Amino acid sequence: MAISAQQYTKDLGALRAGMVDSMRQNNAWEGFKRTLSDLYPDEAHFIYELLQNAEDAQATSVEFNLTSDLLTFIHDGKRLFKNEDVESITNIGHSTKSDDLDQIGKFGVGFKAVFAYTSTPRIYSGDFSFEIRDLFVPYWRPENLATTGQTRFDFPFNGPKPPQKCAAEVSAWLRQVKDNVLLFLRSVRSIRWTTQENRWTQIERHERANNIVEIQYSSSDTAHRPHSHWRSEEHTSELQSLTNL
C-alpha cells in the first residue's frame, strides 16, 4: 500500500532531524549554517527561484502577496508536489530536475536563501502540507491553505533579519521587476503582486501577429506605464533575439 503524504513527511522529517542532530553533536552545525549563508544571494533574489519553480510546474499565472510580516507566493502549476519534491526542497545539491534540460529551476542553494528571511517556510501543494525547520527538516502541518490545483508557499518573516527589513527588501525587489521578465518564461503568462499598502501590480504576456509579443502592465497606482512590444527574429531562438520595438 502506498505511503500517505503525511507519513512520508514524518518519516523524512525524522531522518533529516537525525542528520541535523548529528551535526550538532559534532559541533559542525553552526559552521555549516554560516558557510551556507555566505552563498545566499542578497536582497530577495530567491524570488527568481520561486518564478523558476512555477515555470517548471507549468504554471500560467503567479501571485505574490506581501504583508508586514509575511510573503505568500501562489501559482497554478499543473505539477503539484510529490514525494520527490519534498525530498528535493529539504535537501541541498539534490534535485528532481537536474537532468531535465527543459526545466530551468531546481531546489538547491537558491531556495535555501529564503532562510535569510524566514526560519519556517511553509509549502502547501497537492496532498502535502508542511513547513521546513533547521534548513532541512520537514514538519507536517494539519491544515492545507492552498486552493485545489494550486501550490502555495508562505514565508513568515521570523528569520535573522527584522520583519520590517524583510518586507522592505521584498517590496523593493517587486517594485523593480521589469516587464521583460516574462520573455524568459515559456509557461508563465501573468505575474501579479500586492504590497502591504494594498497596492497591486500585474504584468501579462500576449502573443500577437507577426512574431510580436506584447507585455501589458496594469496597476492600482495612478501612474500609467505603456505596454511594451517585442519582436522575435525568424530562425533564431526567442530568448536571444527579442528586441524592444
Side-chain angles (χ1 to χ4, degrees), residues 177-239:
V177 169
K178 304 296 184 184
D179 295 356
N180 62 2
V181 69
L182 284 175
L183 301 179
F184 298 91
L185 300 170
R186 288 167 291 184
S187 295
V188 176
R189 289 292 185 266
S190 171
I191 302 175
R192 181 185 177 94
W193 58 94
T194 304
T195 66
Q196 60 266 46
E197 298 89 5
N198 291 321
R199 297 180 181 274
W200 62 268
T201 302
Q202 181 165 304
I203 54 176
E204 299 174 279
R205 171 176 174 155
H206 297 277
E207 311 295 332
R208 304 304 187 194
N210 301 318
N211 295 324
I212 301 299
V213 176
E214 181 179 71
I215 306 297
Q216 294 183 347
Y217 173 93
S218 55
S219 173
S220 60
D221 292 334
T222 55
H224 174 71
R225 182 189 300 180
H227 301 335
S228 61
H229 298 82
W230 307 73
R231 173 179 288 137
S232 177
E233 301 297 335
E234 192 175 4
H235 306 307
T236 58
S237 69
E238 185 179 47
L239 294 183

Side-chain angles (χ1 to χ4, degrees), residues 63-174:
E63 182 175 346
F64 296 92
N65 293 308
L66 176 65
T67 69
S68 60
D69 58 3
L70 175 74
L71 173 67
T72 295
F73 174 69
I74 299 171
H75 69 70
D76 65 351
K78 298 176 183 177
R79 187 180 185 279
L80 302 175
F81 263 59
K82 299 179 180 178
N83 291 358
E84 55 265 32
D85 299 298
V86 183
E87 157 72 22
S88 177
I89 203 170
T90 59
N91 209 330
I92 186 170
H94 172 78
S95 172
T96 61
K97 312 179 185 74
S98 57
D99 297 325
D100 189 343
L101 297 181
D102 290 330
Q103 294 189 318
I104 59 177
K106 63 180 78 173
F107 292 125
V109 172
F111 183 81
K112 291 297 185 290
V114 304
F115 288 98
Y117 294 82
T118 182
S119 296
T120 55
R122 300 162 188 165
I123 298 97
Y124 310 96
S125 181
D127 294 331
F128 285 95
S129 175
F130 65 99
E131 71 181 32
I132 305 172
R133 305 176 191 172
D134 288 331
L135 302 179
F136 303 109
V137 186
Y139 283 81
W140 184 257
R141 294 181 64 86
E143 79 285 10
N144 191 329
L145 301 183
T147 302
T148 300
Q150 290 185 332
T151 292
R152 170 172 170 158
F153 294 79
D154 281 357
F155 304 104
F157 296 145
N158 56 7
K161 295 183 180 181
Q164 60 270 27
K165 182 174 177 62
C166 294
E169 289 183 358
V170 172
S171 180
W173 193 97
L174 292 172

